[in-house]
Amino acid sequence: FAALVKFHTHEETHAFLLFGFYTCTMLQLSANILCIATTTMLSVCGTSLSMRGADGSIVRSVDSIYSLRRHVFGLFWLGIAATVWTGIFYCWIIFDVVHALVSSSLLLLTLVLLWRWRRQITELFYFERDEATRFCDLRPLT
């Protein structure tokens, strides 16, 4: 993180590039910390509730984790996108035009591919809530 914030810029660096760079740097840091903290709390609290809670706590735990999944994925993808945009701004601040164009094009391609793969993976694993297996659907292990 410190390496992204502490670097020497040229006097003629446009203020828009610096603003974009520092904004995306802080956005990626914030989104990634929130994503990690949220998933950690969900893992610890969800597991604790399901293992130590009263009857029905497993269902409550799973339903709670399921209800927050979009929030976690949103933070995850915001962190990824902000990281890539930080790199794009960095390229235009540090490199000459030719190198910045090539480097930022590769980073934009990365962003496009990530978006396409996210859509593809989401479609592959999508299911309606009423299609989910419920505990009453499971047969006893006898």
Side-chain angles (χ1 to χ4, degrees):
F1 170 72
L4 288 177
V5 177
K6 288 187 164 192
F7 66 96
H8 179 69
T9 60
H10 303 288
E11 293 287 328
E12 64 274 1
T13 302
H14 196 280
F16 171 76
L17 293 174
L18 291 173
F19 177 78
F21 174 79
Y22 288 120
T23 301
C24 287
T25 299
M26 292 302 115
L27 185 60
Q28 72 160 325
L29 179 66
S30 300
N32 289 329
I33 288 172
L34 287 169
C35 182
I36 291 168
T38 304
T39 55
T40 300
M41 288 185 284
L42 285 173
S43 296
V44 171
C45 295
T47 304
S48 179
L49 174 65
S50 65
M51 292 176 60
R52 298 180 187 174
D55 287 343
S57 60
I58 293 175
V59 173
R60 184 175 144 211
S61 175
V62 170
D63 286 344
S64 298
I65 292 170
Y66 183 84
S67 70
L68 292 172
R69 80 189 190 294
R70 287 189 191 272
H71 175 75
V72 171
F73 282 135
L75 289 171
F76 173 77
W77 286 110
L78 179 61
I80 293 290
T83 301
V84 173
W85 279 106
T86 297
I88 291 170
F89 283 115
Y90 184 80
C91 290
W92 286 97
I93 291 169
I94 298 298
F95 300 144
D96 61 87
V97 174
V98 174
H99 291 102
L101 188 63
V102 171
S103 300
S104 59
S105 295
L106 289 172
L107 288 170
L108 282 173
L109 176 63
T110 300
L111 202 56
V112 169
L113 290 174
L114 282 168
W115 182 257
R116 288 180 63 199
W117 293 338
R118 183 209 59 84
R119 282 188 34 219
Q120 183 180 11
I121 291 169
T122 301
E123 289 172 8
L124 286 172
F125 292 101
Y126 178 79
F127 63 91
E128 294 290 336
R129 190 175 181 109
D130 60 344
E131 296 174 323
T133 302
R134 298 172 300 171
F135 287 104
C136 63
D137 295 337
L138 300 175
R139 294 187 322 205
L141 296 173
T142 57

